Amino acid sequence: MSFSQPSHKTESISDRKKSRELAEARQNGAVAPAVDVKTGAMINPHNPEFITKRPWYLEVGDTGPSLEHQGDQRLEKDRNELSLRNADRLLEKEQRLLKEKQWKGKFEVGMWVEGLKRSKLPYQVCQIVKIYKNKKEADIRFEDGTLDRKINIRKPSFGKAYIRMTRTGNRAHKIDTDQFGKETYDSKRDKYHGFETGDSHMKRMEEKFSKREELRQKYRTKAANEEKEKNGKNNVVDDDDFNDSDVEDDDSDDEFVQREEDEKIFTSRLARQGGVGGAQMKVTARNLRIREDTAKYLRNLDVNSAYYDPKSRSLRDNPNPEVAPEDSQFAGDNFARINGDAVGLAETQLFAWDAEKKGEAAIHPQANPSQAELYKKQKKSKLTKEKSMQRQSVLKKYGGAEYLDC
């Protein structure tokens, strides 16, 4: 479909009136419905105008009524998409080829591997950008852009290899969009993309938990025998005689104690917030209020007072600004933002922005709050010290210290 030179013609009042009368006649059945000139199908006369009417920028070569503009306007090559299922199949193929290359120990230019940056652990994901003619050395580029040249790619007789086949990075390989198509939204954001669910994985998990269960059974058998010997019973309990009921008794005791503790916490929560909620109590706890408290929207019934947001259940502004602060029972949700640690956090954020703007240091209060607080404390003490030295120098030069102490 061509998008060149769109034309837009404004309808006159009489033309607009005629088109409206024609649409009403088609809805009433007095006039036959319009027919799509492209497909020959009947156009539903009850469709809204914004669906049946072609946009002005698509009116190039308008030959009659049609719903073609409601279809996919992309080019044929852009319609080819790589679905979630096909992306998984492509990844399985890439992993199979990667395992074959790993078995042969073959490296290629453009391959993603794990390498030692400056010969130091841990291994980091990198890409081979060049392999020398001797097939023994290569240049690798890490994800941060640093380049290591002439790295020995042969596996040493002892010690750790400089590079190895990547064990992570399922999305490291580049997809040829012309051949396979672009990845869809779900394919790009698949959380389990590349997760192997083969027999080997399940077998390892089964062995792991079976060993754990065997050790647990042995420990409980030993504990039960010691307990019976301690009580004066010399009957030794064998593995065959020790059934699951004893294990269940021990588990039930532990579960009873844990259940009792959880019940206390849940009961206190119900008493504090009121009502018998249910399984969703833990999720909706922060949105509930104590029944004895007055609802926020009842603080001031004037329609022109502070706005109450029913979705977030928040009343940000002060509903009664005319009341004195010492007599006010509720000053709005925003009042909490200018009290307590919120003020200190805001000051730290402003300090970090100013420091980065001046080029002193690049600190991030959210990623590393300890560093931000330490740097702020050092800067504050330094400024205090400089002001004190400046004050002492002025007093030393001009005098008058005896008047300041009065």
Side-chain angles (χ1 to χ4, degrees):
M1 181 176 292
S2 176
F3 294 93
S4 60
Q5 297 181 358
S7 60
H8 178 61
K9 182 180 178 182
T10 305
E11 288 184 325
S12 62
I13 298 177
S14 59
D15 294 340
R16 182 65 179 167
K17 185 177 180 181
K18 289 180 181 179
S19 61
R20 190 181 299 111
E21 290 176 353
L22 179 61
E24 292 177 355
R26 284 174 175 169
Q27 291 177 1
N28 296 330
V31 180
V35 178
D36 195 327
V37 296
K38 299 291 183 181
T39 61
M42 183 189 71
I43 299 177
N44 190 347
H46 298 282
N47 283 345
E49 186 181 15
F50 68 86
I51 291 180
T52 56
K53 188 176 180 180
R54 185 182 287 106
W56 64 269
Y57 50 84
L58 296 178
E59 290 181 352
V60 179
D62 187 8
T63 57
S66 176
L67 295 178
E68 186 188 14
H69 59 278
Q70 293 291 341
D72 195 349
Q73 303 295 322
R74 294 177 298 177
L75 300 177
E76 190 66 30
K77 63 177 183 179
D78 295 334
R79 296 183 187 182
N80 186 20
E81 292 182 343
L82 187 65
S83 63
L84 183 64
R85 187 174 183 180
N86 293 335
D88 287 338
R89 290 178 178 176
L90 179 61
L91 181 61
E92 290 177 3
K93 180 181 177 182
E94 292 290 335
Q95 288 178 342
R96 187 171 62 254
L97 295 176
L98 186 64
K99 288 181 180 179
E100 292 177 0
K101 294 176 182 178
Q102 183 178 3
W103 179 261
K104 298 177 181 178
K106 185 179 179 182
F107 295 100
E108 296 177 356
V109 176
M111 182 184 293
W112 288 88
V113 295
E114 291 181 350
L116 295 176
K117 191 174 182 180
R118 297 187 180 91
S119 303
K120 295 181 180 179
L121 289 173
Y123 282 95
Q124 299 183 23
V125 177
C126 58
Q127 187 181 23
I128 299 176
V129 295
K130 181 181 179 181
I131 296 180
Y132 291 88
K133 293 182 179 180
N134 56 7
K135 304 293 183 180
K136 299 178 182 179
E137 295 176 333
D139 296 346
I140 57 176
R141 181 186 291 113
F142 292 89
E143 290 182 318
D144 58 357
T146 58
L147 187 68
D148 283 5
R149 299 183 181 275
K150 292 189 176 183
I151 298 298
N152 188 4
I153 62 177
R154 295 183 303 175
K155 188 174 181 180
S157 57
F158 63 93
K160 295 185 177 296
Y162 285 101
I163 61 175
R164 66 183 185 185
M165 289 293 180
T166 178
R167 299 178 182 175
T168 57
N170 293 325
R171 296 186 180 273
H173 65 278
K174 294 183 179 179
I175 296 177
D176 188 1
T177 56
D178 296 334
Q179 180 181 0
F180 302 104
K182 296 182 180 179
E183 286 190 273
T184 58
Y185 183 90
D186 294 333
S187 176
K188 286 183 179 179
R189 292 157 181 83
D190 183 17
K191 186 177 181 181
Y192 296 98
H193 184 71
F195 181 74
E196 297 182 3
T197 58
D199 296 337
S200 59
H201 172 75
M202 298 304 296
K203 188 176 181 181
R204 290 197 303 269
M205 296 297 293
E206 187 176 352
E207 290 177 355
K208 175 182 175 181
F209 283 98
S210 62
K211 289 180 180 178
R212 183 179 297 178
E213 184 65 26
E214 184 179 351
L215 290 174
R216 178 172 172 269
Q217 188 81 1
K218 187 183 296 185
Y219 172 76
R220 289 194 175 274
T221 304
K222 183 180 178 181
N225 290 333
E226 292 178 354
E227 184 68 24
K228 288 198 173 185
E229 289 178 0
K230 185 178 179 181
N231 294 335
K233 297 180 181 180
N234 298 324
N235 297 329
V236 180
V237 181
D238 297 332
D239 293 340
D240 298 336
D241 298 334
F242 184 75
N243 51 22
D244 294 339
S245 61
D246 298 323
V247 179
E248 292 174 358
D249 292 341
D250 296 338
D251 290 342
S252 62
D253 294 340
D254 298 338
E255 292 175 1
F256 178 76
V257 175
Q258 183 64 32
R259 197 183 304 118
E260 190 177 7
E261 293 294 330
D262 295 341
E263 204 168 357
K264 290 180 180 178
I265 297 174
F266 191 72
T267 305
S268 63
R269 184 182 296 158
L270 290 179
R272 185 172 66 253
Q273 296 168 347
V276 180
Q280 70 275 17
M281 175 61 73
K282 296 180 181 179
V283 180
T284 59
R286 68 180 185 88
N287 291 330
L288 297 178
R289 64 178 179 85
I290 305 175
R291 290 186 174 183
E292 288 77 8
D293 291 347
T294 305
K296 296 177 184 178
Y297 50 83
L298 297 178
R299 295 288 182 179
N300 191 345
L301 299 180
D302 187 6
V303 294
N304 296 322
S305 63
Y307 173 73
Y308 174 75
D309 186 11
K311 186 174 183 179
S312 60
R313 301 183 183 181
S314 58
L315 186 68
R316 298 178 177 86
D317 296 333
N318 189 359
N320 300 304
E322 69 280 355
V323 180
E326 58 272 8
D327 299 333
S328 178
Q329 297 180 353
F330 179 74
D333 294 331
N334 284 343
F335 181 76
R337 299 190 178 189
I338 55 174
N339 283 321
D341 296 336
V343 180
L345 291 174
E347 291 178 353
T348 305
Q349 184 65 64
L350 292 174
F351 172 76
W353 287 338
D354 293 340
E356 186 176 0
K357 187 176 181 180
K358 294 177 183 178
E360 296 178 357
I363 54 179
H364 200 292
Q366 284 77 29
N368 199 343
S370 302
Q371 180 193 16
E373 290 293 337
L374 180 61
Y375 189 77
K376 177 185 175 184
K377 186 177 180 180
Q378 293 175 353
K379 193 72 175 177
K380 191 174 182 181
S381 62
K382 184 179 178 181
L383 291 175
T384 306
K385 188 176 180 180
E386 289 178 355
K387 287 183 179 180
S388 178
M389 292 175 61
Q390 184 180 8
R391 182 169 177 267
Q392 293 295 334
S393 62
V394 171
L395 292 175
K396 185 177 180 181
K397 184 175 181 179
Y398 298 102
E402 62 275 8
Y403 300 107
L404 296 177
D405 298 334
C406 297

